[in-house]
Amino acid sequence: MASTPYKPPGDPSDLTALKGHIPLLGLTGGIGSGKTTVSGLLGQFGAGIIDTDQIAHQITAPGGIAIPLIREQFGVDFIDSSGALKRGKMRSLVFEKPDARKVLEHITHPLIRQKTIEDAIGLANAGKPYLVFVIPLLIESGNWQGLLDHIAVVDCPEETQIERVIQRSKLTREEVAKILGAQASREERLSQANTILNNDGDLAKLNAEIEDLHQKMIGFKNNTFTSS
Ligand code: ATP
């Protein structure tokens, strides 16, 4: 599996062609739940990590491939002096105007998808034992379930999410609550989880849960888990 270099059989842009060649784990969770923390630890265990949120940031950072298209569609007011997307300004716009969200997604989604595919194929060919796709809106998008072999949800109480995001960013409580309200509910997310990672504050416990998940993914062969 991982020892055989992966070659896409037909359309090189088809991520589904990876299925069966390497175990595919989807990692999701609400804003501030701890997805980056978990993927960092899985990465330390040797997993191949593809973080779609990080990719979205890369393509809208200074020099990012989405910047010229965003400038063309939304105007220079949405680009800061370093050449990066003004995230706060864009966030406010797309919250107010669904059409603007569609235009933005029309620009960014194909670029994110292309980079996701390139990274996944690169990591599969590098011999990673399994791939982790970090997808904040996995449950909401509905596109991923057929591809993934396993879905892990990082979970913590909503109040903890809000506190963590406020501490980390300049967002207000109201802004975080608004983002939370636009995401799938905790119940919806948990109902689709194969594994729930409880990130309620005890990092030692989380670490142990992540190690279990890693062992489980290592043991995934021929479409089934050989260890639990
Ligand atoms: P986002 O959806 O905003 O990208 P995320 O789900 O990736 O967030 P993280 O960035 O991993 O979440 O965590 C959010 C913040 O909470 C970070 O500052 C992180 O260091 C902190 N954090 C995560 N888990 C814990 C924990 N168990 N105890 C204390 N702080 C934590």
Side-chain angles (χ1 to χ4, degrees), residues 8-84:
D11 179 355
S13 71
D14 189 4
L15 201 50
T16 58
L18 277 174
K19 197 167 171 73
H21 286 264
I22 182 166
L24 306 175
L25 170 68
L27 179 67
T28 192
I31 182 169
S33 56
K35 298 177 292 296
T36 310
T37 306
V38 169
S39 64
L41 290 166
L42 284 170
Q44 283 177 25
F45 279 116
I49 311 293
I50 303 111
D51 187 329
T52 59
D53 212 21
Q54 233 171 47
I55 293 173
H57 271 76
Q58 280 169 13
I59 66 170
T60 53
I65 48 176
I67 293 294
L69 296 164
I70 292 173
R71 190 186 288 116
E72 194 181 306
Q73 287 292 331
F74 293 93
V76 287
D77 285 356
F78 283 84
I79 310 298
D80 72 16
S81 57
S82 75

Side-chain angles (χ1 to χ4, degrees), residues 41-213:
L41 290 166
L42 284 170
Q44 283 177 25
F45 279 116
I49 311 293
I50 303 111
D51 187 329
T52 59
D53 212 21
Q54 233 171 47
I55 293 173
H57 271 76
Q58 280 169 13
I59 66 170
T60 53
I65 48 176
I67 293 294
L69 296 164
I70 292 173
R71 190 186 288 116
E72 194 181 306
Q73 287 292 331
F74 293 93
V76 287
D77 285 356
F78 283 84
I79 310 298
D80 72 16
S81 57
S82 75
L85 170 68
K86 288 184 184 170
R87 282 175 215 293
K89 193 175 168 74
M90 183 59 86
R91 193 184 306 112
S92 305
L93 179 74
V94 299
F95 257 122
E96 298 306 320
K97 298 192 171 159
D99 283 354
R101 178 184 294 276
K102 278 194 193 138
V103 172
L104 180 68
E105 289 178 351
H106 195 75
I107 294 170
T108 56
H109 282 186
L111 298 173
I112 294 169
R113 184 171 167 76
Q114 188 53 40
K115 182 78 167 79
T116 298
I117 292 163
E118 282 168 20
D119 286 1
I121 291 173
L123 289 165
N125 281 337
K128 293 290 179 183
Y130 62 95
L131 299 181
V132 181
F133 295 92
V134 187
I135 309 161
L137 300 180
L138 189 157
I139 307 300
E140 292 83 343
S141 81
N143 294 331
W144 286 88
Q145 281 82 342
L147 174 76
L148 300 167
D149 296 307
H150 200 78
I151 294 176
V153 170
V154 190
D155 181 58
C156 67
E158 287 191 353
E159 187 50 36
T160 310
Q161 287 177 254
I162 293 172
E163 276 166 19
R164 282 183 188 154
V165 177
I166 290 173
Q167 234 175 32
R168 189 199 49 188
S169 66
K170 289 182 189 142
L171 295 178
T172 64
R173 170 169 288 273
E174 288 67 35
E175 285 169 323
V176 183
K178 205 168 168 185
I179 294 171
L180 251 163
Q183 297 187 341
S185 70
R186 193 175 173 190
E187 290 70 29
E188 281 171 312
R189 215 177 274 118
L190 292 178
S191 73
Q192 295 200 33
N194 300 114
T195 293
I196 297 170
L197 300 163
N198 293 303
N199 189 20
D200 49 13
D202 187 341
L203 278 175
K205 190 168 104 249
L206 177 69
N207 231 320
E209 291 178 55
I210 292 169
E211 184 160 8
D212 282 352
L213 176 61

